[in-house]
Amino acid sequence: MTPAELAEVVLSAAHAVFADRGLDRAALPERTAVERPRNPEHGDYASTLALQLSKKVGVPPRDLAAALVEQLGRAPGVKSVEIAGPGFLNIRLDPAAAGQLARTIVEAGPAYGRGAALAGQKINLEFVSANPTGPVHIGGVRWAAVGDALSRLLRATGADVGTEYYFNDAGSQIDRFARSLLAAAKGEPAPEDGYGGAYIAEIATEVRNRRPDVLTLDDAAAQEVFRVEGVQLMFTEIKSSLREFGVEFDTYFNEKDLHDRGELDQALARLRAQGHVFDTDGATWLRTTDFGDDKDRVLRKSNGEWTYFAADCAYYLDKRERGFDRVVIMLGADHHGYLGRMRAMAACFGDDPDTNLEILIGQLVNLVRDGAPVRMSKRAGTVVTLEDLVDAIGVDASRYALARYSSDSPIDIDVELWTRATRDNPVYYVQYVAARTASVGRNAAEVGLTRGDAGSFHPELLYHDKENELLKALAEFPAVVATAAELREPHRVARYLEELAGAYHRFYDSCRILPRGDEEVTDLHRARLWLNDATRTVIANGLHLLGVSAPERM
């Protein structure tokens, strides 16, 4: 029996109590929930429904709890119910009902843990969005891991998600990039405000290979060649490195397209029609202070140039007009100042910032080796890049390490820890369970042990304390997935997997799955194999949500 199924049993009991006592059924909720008590001695699950309903119907909570106990005592699968404190219900399942979960999980396979809590929501999720002026640095890599995991979580809970990468391929930073490439091609030092690093020389060389005549052009024409070709090369490299990291986007959106298609003018016209645009000193402004921003924002400068904020407005409008109900944007730690202006911008378009816009801010990441931060990349020259991180600890460890912590907390990634094949390496600890459960399956087949069909499964045999502990941990997975998606916190899945791994190790150490020597295969061996395979299913499903592999061998 899953927690959701037990919650339905509790609610059904409440309906029966209300019918017997003539209480107003309108006070009953559409759904309720059960939770695992902190102290396992208090039972398998706990419900606060009697406390929640007491005031609504004017019945003392312990009286209501007593009536629920009577009803629940007759429910199939419920072994016992006790009243605790002012009206808590502590519920114990009989072993057959608890053990049946193993069959449910194995038969559901990859679908176990998925739900429909966010069904009907169409979400645009933008993350990474590094400027095409250099390789993806370690801060962007964090968003690659967290953003991709979040997209998987949102889809697993029913949302219609479109992932998006925004290339800022217009503006002054691209001009500096082009000037830097031109200088490198000429063998000159990088401009004072330009970009350095070996990758600049590499790209400049590649552009010259493509366009051997480029240095025969005047500087303005040559710079334009380096801008167009250099951005394309950098764009291709960024997409390739992200693909190797396991991250693919549904849409790669170029800022330049907004300018070329006249979408900035369209956004300005929409905002002016809403009554929030004003002109002064030759410039065009958006009155964002009407919606809580600390100052009004310039859309078009007095020289006619558009601001970055104008492009932000046009891009937001483009997403909304593509049918997305909610625009989620992941930004780096240096973008806190964007919150006020972006929320005000959404309000200026007539949207509700709490409904239609969501901005997530990620904190800094450091790569640490021998106790000291790794300060710079050999190739990029000033930052640690995606390739540096993957070279140091691998893709799986990188993704797990970056997704394992709340994104609003700074983290240090210790190279020594994350490459260690020991239990204190979190990704190794979890992946080891994936490999061990697969190994048990292979070894079982060698000795003629199979699960058999569902009819030969005897869940009532799974009554050992460690079996019960593991079953309860497995039962929590759907709720963990739903909560992680709702709160935008993929790290909850990682932490859950580590708890589940611990529960499996304790089960494995206490409950022998395979027969010894010539020992006859029994129904208990088969039941424990169901539980073993259920664990592998959940570990694999959870790791998939983080974009991490579930190896069969290690």
Side-chain angles (χ1 to χ4, degrees):
M1 183 182 298
T2 67
E5 290 168 342
L6 178 58
E8 286 296 317
V9 171
V10 172
L11 190 57
S12 177
H15 275 276
V17 168
F18 273 48
D20 288 346
R21 295 194 169 203
L23 300 174
D24 182 7
R25 294 195 188 188
L28 289 167
E30 290 186 8
R31 60 180 60 88
T32 187
V34 294
E35 299 177 350
R36 286 172 61 183
R38 292 182 181 178
N39 185 346
E41 294 181 1
H42 293 166
D44 296 324
Y45 295 98
S47 170
T48 60
L49 187 60
L51 292 169
Q52 296 168 17
L53 297 175
S54 174
K55 289 184 179 179
K56 293 182 179 180
V57 296
V59 177
R62 283 189 67 91
D63 288 356
L64 200 53
L68 285 169
V69 166
E70 185 178 349
Q71 284 290 338
L72 287 169
R74 297 193 288 268
V78 175
K79 180 180 180 181
S80 65
V81 188
E82 299 171 353
I83 303 173
F88 296 102
L89 295 176
N90 290 333
I91 305 169
R92 287 180 172 82
L93 302 180
D94 66 43
Q100 191 61 45
L101 178 68
R103 172 185 168 184
T104 298
I105 293 171
V106 171
E107 291 182 342
Y112 182 70
R114 303 181 71 87
L118 299 181
Q121 292 192 29
K122 188 172 183 181
I123 299 173
N124 179 281
L125 179 63
E126 179 199 342
F127 55 100
V128 183
S129 294
N131 291 336
T133 55
V136 179
H137 63 76
I138 196 168
V141 182
R142 183 177 198 176
W143 275 139
V146 174
D148 188 62
L150 182 54
S151 73
R152 294 164 184 251
L153 279 166
L154 293 172
R155 287 172 175 142
T157 46
D160 179 359
V161 181
T163 58
E164 196 144 319
Y165 188 121
Y166 181 60
F167 272 95
N168 302 93
D169 58 346
S172 59
Q173 83 278 8
I174 299 299
D175 293 336
R176 294 198 300 272
F177 178 60
R179 291 201 306 272
S180 301
L181 293 174
L182 177 58
K186 290 181 173 182
E188 299 174 353
E192 188 174 339
D193 62 347
Y195 297 92
Y199 77 95
I200 289 292
E202 293 170 8
I203 293 174
T205 299
E206 181 61 27
V207 173
R208 288 190 65 184
N209 291 338
R210 290 185 173 195
R211 289 288 304 271
D213 65 326
V214 65
L215 293 184
T216 67
L217 306 174
D218 62 63
D219 280 358
Q223 183 175 315
E224 179 61 16
V225 171
F226 278 106
R227 186 193 72 78
V228 173
E229 297 286 347
V231 165
Q232 184 184 59
L233 286 166
M234 197 73 255
F235 189 1
T236 300
E237 180 178 328
I238 289 172
K239 290 174 68 175
S240 176
S241 61
L242 286 169
R243 187 178 303 115
E244 291 174 4
F245 195 60
V247 179
E248 291 270 13
F249 289 86
D250 298 319
T251 301
Y252 293 91
F253 194 103
N254 288 36
E255 179 188 351
K256 189 172 181 295
D257 290 342
L258 291 171
H259 293 264
D260 294 345
R261 296 197 295 251
E263 291 193 40
L264 279 79
D265 289 297
Q266 295 167 24
L268 175 59
R270 178 75 64 87
L271 292 166
R272 195 181 289 279
Q274 293 287 122
H276 303 298
V277 172
F278 66 98
D279 300 289
T280 186
D281 298 327
T284 302
W285 299 68
L286 184 64
R287 192 175 284 106
T288 53
T289 51
D290 285 351
F291 298 99
D293 196 6
D294 59 345
K295 62 181 179 181
D296 294 326
R297 304 289 171 174
V298 178
L299 295 172
R300 183 175 251 164
K301 302 175 186 177
S302 57
N303 63 3
E305 291 182 2
W306 293 103
T307 63
Y308 287 122
F309 182 62
D312 289 338
C313 294
Y315 186 36
Y316 173 80
L317 182 60
D318 183 278
K319 290 177 179 179
R320 292 284 286 122
E321 291 189 336
R322 278 186 273 145
F324 291 103
D325 309 309
R326 192 171 188 86
V327 173
V328 181
I329 308 173
M330 297 178 158
L331 298 174
D334 56 343
H335 285 73
H336 272 287
Y338 278 62
L339 289 169
R341 76 187 70 170
M342 293 296 286
R343 286 178 56 82
M345 173 266 290
C348 287
F349 276 119
D351 284 348
D352 178 359
D354 291 328
T355 301
N356 304 116
L357 177 65
E358 183 177 346
I359 297 178
L360 307 176
I361 301 291
Q363 293 301 316
L364 299 175
V365 183
N366 292 309
L367 184 63
V368 178
R369 191 191 303 271
D370 298 326
V374 176
R375 292 298 184 188
M376 62 181 62
S377 166
K378 292 179 180 178
R379 182 165 180 260
T382 55
V383 295
V384 177
T385 68
L386 187 159
E387 287 80 5
D388 296 324
L389 180 62
V390 170
D391 287 346
I393 66 174
V395 171
D396 276 352
S398 297
R399 291 191 61 133
Y400 193 97
L402 291 165
R404 183 177 185 260
Y405 301 91
S406 173
S407 57
D408 59 7
S409 301
I411 56 173
D412 291 334
I413 296 178
D414 187 333
V415 173
E416 294 175 340
L417 170 66
W418 289 95
T419 54
R420 201 177 292 158
T422 58
R423 292 167 68 101
D424 57 348
N425 176 350
V427 70
Y428 178 86
Y429 185 59
V430 174
Q431 287 185 315
Y432 185 75
V433 171
R436 172 170 270 187
T437 52
S439 175
V440 167
R442 290 192 299 272
N443 293 336
E446 289 177 3
V447 299
L449 170 60
T450 63
R451 292 195 309 262
D453 60 27
S456 62
F457 173 44
H458 292 272
E460 71 277 4
L461 299 176
L462 299 174
Y463 57 79
H464 191 283
D465 287 347
K466 299 308 177 187
E467 293 165 340
N468 186 255
E469 178 189 353
L470 179 55
L471 284 163
K472 286 192 287 187
L474 293 169
E476 291 300 306
F477 183 58
V480 170
V481 172
T483 301
E486 180 184 2
L487 299 180
R488 318 303 196 229
E489 294 181 343
H491 70 273
R492 290 175 177 268
V493 175
R495 299 308 177 101
Y496 163 80
L497 291 174
E498 291 162 38
E499 292 179 8
L500 177 60
Y504 178 80
H505 285 307
R506 291 186 289 274
F507 155 74
Y508 184 89
D509 292 341
S510 301
C511 304
R512 185 163 183 84
I513 303 171
L514 304 178
R516 288 187 175 91
D518 295 331
E519 183 182 358
E520 182 182 352
V521 172
T522 68
D523 288 337
L524 178 58
H525 292 126
R526 295 188 187 92
R528 285 176 173 170
L529 186 58
W530 277 91
L531 185 51
N532 174 84
D533 293 355
T535 303
R536 174 160 178 85
T537 297
V538 174
I539 289 285
N541 291 356
L543 286 172
H544 174 75
L545 290 173
L546 301 177
V548 177
S549 68
E552 295 194 356
R553 290 178 171 85
M554 289 185 72

